[in-house]
Amino acid sequence: MTVLRRNVLKSLAVASASLPLAAPALAQGAPKVTWKLTSSFPKSLDLIYGAALSLAQRVHEASDGQFVIEVHPPGEIASALDALDAVKSGKADLGHTTLAYYWGKDPAFAFGTGVPFGMNARLTNSWFYEGGGNEAINEFLGDYGVTALPLGNTGAQMGGWFRRQVKTAADFKGLKVRSGGFTGTLFKALGAIPDATPMAAMPAALKSGALDAVEFVSPYDDEKLSIAKVAPYYYYPGWWQGSSAQHLVVNLAQWNALPKAYRAMLTSAAAEVNGQVLALYDARNPAALRRLVASGSNLQGFSADITEAAYKAAQEIFTQASKSNAKFSKLHENYTAFRNDGYLWWQVCEYTYDNFIIRQRAREAI
Amino acid sequence: MTVLRRNVLKSLAVASASLPLAAPALAQGAPKVTWKLTSSFPKSLDLIYGAALSLAQRVHEASDGQFVIEVHPPGEIASALDALDAVKSGKADLGHTTLAYYWGKDPAFAFGTGVPFGMNARLTNSWFYEGGGNEAINEFLGDYGVTALPLGNTGAQMGGWFRRQVKTAADFKGLKVRSGGFTGTLFKALGAIPDATPMAAMPAALKSGALDAVEFVSPYDDEKLSIAKVAPYYYYPGWWQGSSAQHLVVNLAQWNALPKAYRAMLTSAAAEVNGQVLALYDARNPAALRRLVASGSNLQGFSADITEAAYKAAQEIFTQASKSNAKFSKLHENYTAFRNDGYLWWQVCEYTYDNFIIRQRAREAI
């Protein structure tokens, strides 16, 4: 009998000695693995923060309690914007984050999340899972010592809250808009002033005029900002992202050392929860939108003048960034090719179908 | 030491005696479970048939090979339309099927799959997972001795292939259209003649005029029919289903006896694969559509006259079925309330976003 075999038997004996009467099915031979996850999302964003909790619950169930993921909100292990570095350094094993937060390290991170005039959530998922997107993102992330799995998408986002109406692209000049990353850069190209006022300070800043507008998420989360009274013009859609994806980043060394069965559980649970987050936003946004409109929010679509100017400005940013950054260029080409193909099919079938339902709704007020 | 404890130790000893050197992590204490799955889908529909294979692979990995699902195509255990009965009777433990196939048992089955002018795929998933849809469907399925998990969605479907153009609802009168279930009933209400010509016989039937039109899936699958030459008018969208979902049906007694960890693996893998199928269709349809158009298929949108007449006819069927069938009525109310709310939000944000991208595509031919 080899040493390995003896050790396995010994650990089995130890495990079985403490077996409860209703022995869990998988626990005896499965190693205990406890991983720490640092989330970039505050608990108040309960649908996104909750994604990490759902993930932890699922792998706990599937491993009979042997694979444990401890979920920490920002500030306990790392701040919201330090999740990637914390996972790279091993301070955390997992991070739940928005890759676009790391735009400052490299603008190419944005393709993990969503870019101006990019793909809607369903096409993004198709790119991630079946169009080479996950592979392309993970090739890029290799330099950061992590691998990533999609973990949530909010869908198309609202354009956010404005103190006064914006009718043409010229109305963006001098506008102080809470935004960052690619979005901030795009607003700046339109003449606006990106601003980083923290969430809690927004209502006062909007009231005083220190801030003119705030872009955030969609009705269910936006409602929590309580800024409808001071910035009543509620614009749609957020053209700076066709959808907004979050990722689970995993320390690469830990990932490689993880038992194969646990890797399968984690991959499967992440894909499950990725769909769950979008399903939750789709289920919760309608009632929140109704409440917001009922309490006086003034729904406004962005004009063609604005979206067209923004589109042009975005293309210019893509072109410039591609010239100076080979990684950005590679991801941009990969992403854009899939987007163009994806919308070819989308406009034939999904869009015309939705179009009929929406026209019918308007006619019947259903 | 109780008998139970002794038996557990004995089975552990047996398991460990046959341990290979590289012992799988979870196998020692995990019971071997081998389940048979009967698929309603031919292997030629590789994306849908493949969903069951992906599911089997994932639970195999997550259980270290202890939970095995054997996938059987139609005809080995049960025919395509007998999957539900085979699972109910225990001939199979699992079935991968389209609930709408069982329209003949009860029209209420249709809500598991998709109904005329119903929800698109993303809203359907939101209803299933976060809007009470899965619970409502499983309450209904309790009478059939099974429980079900969503397992795949093709998205919006094409309207299918027509020998000649249909310009108004009147053009449906006398049209022999290959279709069944709710779709067949709706075509009949428009004056058409539903027909059940099998797949292989379609080209000849269309050529001879024994058949006028065929509704099937979307470009990637439709291409396999090889009927573009004999029925060149390729219509969109399939208004008889906003999307088409498939389900994994599980024998209820087997489900209840399954170890909790395996139930978690199966639930998680089913949700993962549910998203995967849609991602695959979205990734494969664009190139297939291009090939079909390049080889002479004539893309045609259904006219407003047709969709409006069909909408009216569908509402009449919903109303009549609800009057005579309490289960249908309950599912219809549940489904429709979610659909109406879902599209309220969809039309504000997702639709206007897609609308801009599609207009921009047309302008730039991107």
Side-chain angles (χ1 to χ4, degrees):
Chain A
M1 188 182 271
T2 64
V3 174
L4 177 63
R5 179 77 64 84
R6 265 203 308 280
N7 284 347
V8 168
L9 286 175
K10 197 175 156 195
S11 70
L12 283 173
V14 170
S16 56
S18 59
L19 274 182
L21 271 181
L26 298 168
Q28 295 89 342
K32 185 90 181 184
V33 171
T34 302
W35 272 10
K36 282 183 289 193
L37 181 150
T38 182
S39 175
S40 289
F41 311 106
K43 287 184 178 179
S44 62
L45 295 181
D46 57 324
L47 304 192
I48 308 188
Y49 182 79
L53 300 175
S54 295
L55 180 84
Q57 190 188 332
R58 181 59 85 201
V59 300
H60 190 272
E61 288 166 355
S63 67
D64 263 338
Q66 292 296 91
F67 185 7
V68 175
I69 295 174
E70 296 171 354
V71 177
H72 295 270
E76 288 186 3
I77 297 175
S79 71
L81 302 182
D82 287 335
L84 182 72
D85 285 341
V87 175
K88 185 184 180 185
S89 73
K91 268 170 68 181
D93 308 287
L94 298 165
H96 186 210
T97 193
T98 297
L99 291 177
Y101 285 172
Y102 311 101
W103 162 270
K105 291 182 191 289
D106 190 325
F109 272 101
F111 293 102
T113 306
V115 294
F117 305 102
M119 288 184 266
N120 62 31
R122 200 173 116 181
L123 291 175
T124 298
N125 279 330
S126 182
W127 181 59
F128 282 160
Y129 294 109
E130 304 297 341
N134 282 345
E135 292 78 4
I137 290 164
N138 278 318
E139 188 190 328
F140 167 74
L141 289 176
D143 294 345
Y144 296 87
V146 301
T147 189
L149 298 165
L151 191 68
N153 196 314
T154 64
Q157 298 196 340
M158 288 293 286
W161 305 87
F162 288 68
R163 293 175 73 221
R164 52 181 186 272
Q165 281 183 280
V166 284
K167 293 181 176 171
T168 67
D171 291 336
F172 274 80
K173 295 222 189 316
L175 211 69
K176 286 160 281 180
V177 188
R178 195 247 178 206
S179 58
F182 205 149
T183 307
T185 304
L186 179 51
F187 279 145
K188 207 172 165 182
L190 291 171
I193 303 160
D195 175 285
T197 304
M199 204 166 145
M202 285 181 206
L206 285 164
K207 202 172 178 187
S208 74
L211 195 58
D212 296 309
V214 162
E215 72 93 10
F216 199 57
V217 188
S218 49
Y220 180 77
D221 286 334
D222 289 1
E223 202 178 12
K224 297 166 191 160
L225 297 176
S226 301
I227 58 176
K229 290 269 182 294
V230 284
Y233 297 102
Y234 193 27
Y235 275 88
Y236 63 84
W239 29 262
W240 40 88
Q241 277 180 336
S243 63
S244 186
Q246 299 88 49
H247 276 84
L248 180 73
V249 291
V250 191
N251 178 284
L252 204 50
Q254 289 286 68
W255 173 257
N256 289 330
L258 193 67
K260 273 187 185 173
Y262 288 4
R263 239 187 273 169
M265 287 176 196
L266 191 65
T267 304
S268 191
E272 175 187 16
V273 174
N274 184 51
Q276 187 187 75
V277 172
L278 187 61
L280 274 166
Y281 273 103
D282 285 340
R284 302 282 174 85
N285 275 325
L289 180 64
R290 267 214 192 87
R291 287 191 299 270
L292 286 167
V293 170
S295 66
S297 301
N298 191 331
L299 265 188
Q300 299 273 336
F302 281 119
S303 69
D305 185 71
I306 291 171
T307 47
E308 280 160 27
Y311 184 85
K312 248 185 235 166
Q315 300 319 304
E316 183 58 26
I317 297 171
F318 282 125
T319 304
Q320 289 306 319
S322 290
K323 272 185 193 160
S324 60
N325 181 335
K327 290 177 188 174
F328 185 97
S329 172
K330 195 175 171 186
L331 275 164
H332 180 237
E333 274 178 32
N334 186 327
Y335 181 95
T336 306
F338 194 90
R339 184 197 81 142
N340 292 348
D341 248 24
Y343 270 105
L344 169 79
W345 163 235
W346 194 271
Q347 78 186 72
V348 169
C349 219
E350 294 293 336
Y351 181 78
T352 52
Y353 183 83
D354 287 336
N355 179 272
F356 178 82
I357 300 291
I358 286 166
R359 275 189 295 128
Q360 200 66 27
R361 270 183 56 83
R363 197 174 293 140
E364 298 183 18
I366 54 175
Chain B
M1 186 182 271
T2 64
V3 173
L4 177 64
R5 179 76 66 83
R6 265 201 309 277
N7 285 345
V8 167
L9 286 175
K10 197 176 156 194
S11 70
L12 283 172
V14 170
S16 55
S18 58
L19 273 181
L21 270 180
L26 298 168
Q28 295 89 344
K32 184 90 181 185
V33 170
T34 303
W35 272 10
K36 282 182 291 193
L37 181 150
T38 183
S39 174
S40 289
F41 311 108
K43 286 184 179 179
S44 62
L45 296 181
D46 57 324
L47 304 191
I48 309 186
Y49 183 78
L53 300 175
S54 296
L55 179 84
Q57 189 187 334
R58 181 59 86 202
V59 299
H60 190 271
E61 288 166 358
S63 67
D64 263 338
Q66 291 297 90
F67 185 8
V68 175
I69 295 174
E70 296 171 353
V71 177
H72 296 270
E76 289 185 4
I77 297 175
S79 71
L81 303 182
D82 286 335
L84 182 73
D85 286 341
V87 175
K88 185 185 179 186
S89 72
K91 268 170 68 182
D93 308 287
L94 298 165
H96 186 211
T97 194
T98 296
L99 291 177
Y101 286 173
Y102 311 101
W103 162 270
K105 291 182 190 290
D106 190 326
F109 273 100
F111 293 102
T113 305
V115 294
F117 305 102
M119 289 185 265
N120 62 32
R122 200 173 116 182
L123 291 175
T124 297
N125 279 330
S126 182
W127 181 59
F128 282 160
Y129 293 109
E130 303 298 340
N134 282 345
E135 292 79 3
I137 289 164
N138 278 318
E139 188 191 328
F140 167 74
L141 288 177
D143 294 346
Y144 297 87
V146 301
T147 188
L149 298 165
L151 190 69
N153 196 315
T154 64
Q157 300 195 339
M158 288 293 287
W161 305 86
F162 289 68
R163 293 175 73 220
R164 52 180 187 273
Q165 280 183 281
V166 284
K167 293 181 177 171
T168 67
D171 291 336
F172 274 80
K173 295 222 190 315
L175 212 69
K176 286 159 281 179
V177 188
R178 195 245 178 208
S179 59
F182 204 149
T183 307
T185 304
L186 179 51
F187 279 146
K188 208 172 164 181
L190 291 171
I193 303 160
D195 174 285
T197 303
M199 202 167 147
M202 283 180 209
L206 285 164
K207 202 171 177 189
S208 74
L211 195 59
D212 295 310
V214 163
E215 72 92 10
F216 199 57
V217 188
S218 49
Y220 180 76
D221 286 333
D222 289 2
E223 203 178 10
K224 298 166 192 160
L225 297 176
S226 301
I227 58 176
K229 290 270 182 293
V230 284
Y233 297 101
Y234 193 28
Y235 275 88
Y236 63 83
W239 28 262
W240 40 89
Q241 276 180 334
S243 63
S244 185
Q246 299 87 49
H247 275 84
L248 180 73
V249 291
V250 191
N251 178 285
L252 203 51
Q254 289 287 68
W255 173 256
N256 289 330
L258 193 68
K260 274 187 184 173
Y262 288 4
R263 239 186 274 170
M265 287 176 197
L266 191 66
T267 303
S268 191
E272 175 186 16
V273 174
N274 184 52
Q276 187 187 76
V277 172
L278 187 61
L280 274 166
Y281 274 102
D282 286 339
R284 302 282 175 85
N285 275 325
L289 180 63
R290 265 211 194 90
R291 287 190 298 271
L292 285 167
V293 171
S295 66
S297 301
N298 192 332
L299 265 188
Q300 299 274 336
F302 281 118
S303 68
D305 185 71
I306 291 172
T307 46
E308 280 160 27
Y311 184 84
K312 247 185 237 165
Q315 300 320 304
E316 182 59 24
I317 297 171
F318 282 125
T319 304
Q320 289 307 320
S322 290
K323 271 186 193 159
S324 59
N325 180 336
K327 290 177 188 174
F328 185 98
S329 172
K330 195 174 170 186
L331 275 164
H332 181 238
E333 275 177 31
N334 186 327
Y335 181 96
T336 305
F338 195 90
R339 184 196 81 142
N340 292 348
D341 249 25
Y343 270 106
L344 169 78
W345 164 236
W346 194 272
Q347 78 185 73
V348 170
C349 219
E350 294 293 336
Y351 181 78
T352 53
Y353 183 83
D354 288 336
N355 179 271
F356 177 82
I357 301 290
I358 286 166
R359 275 189 297 128
Q360 199 66 27
R361 269 182 59 81
R363 197 174 292 137
E364 300 182 17
I366 53 176

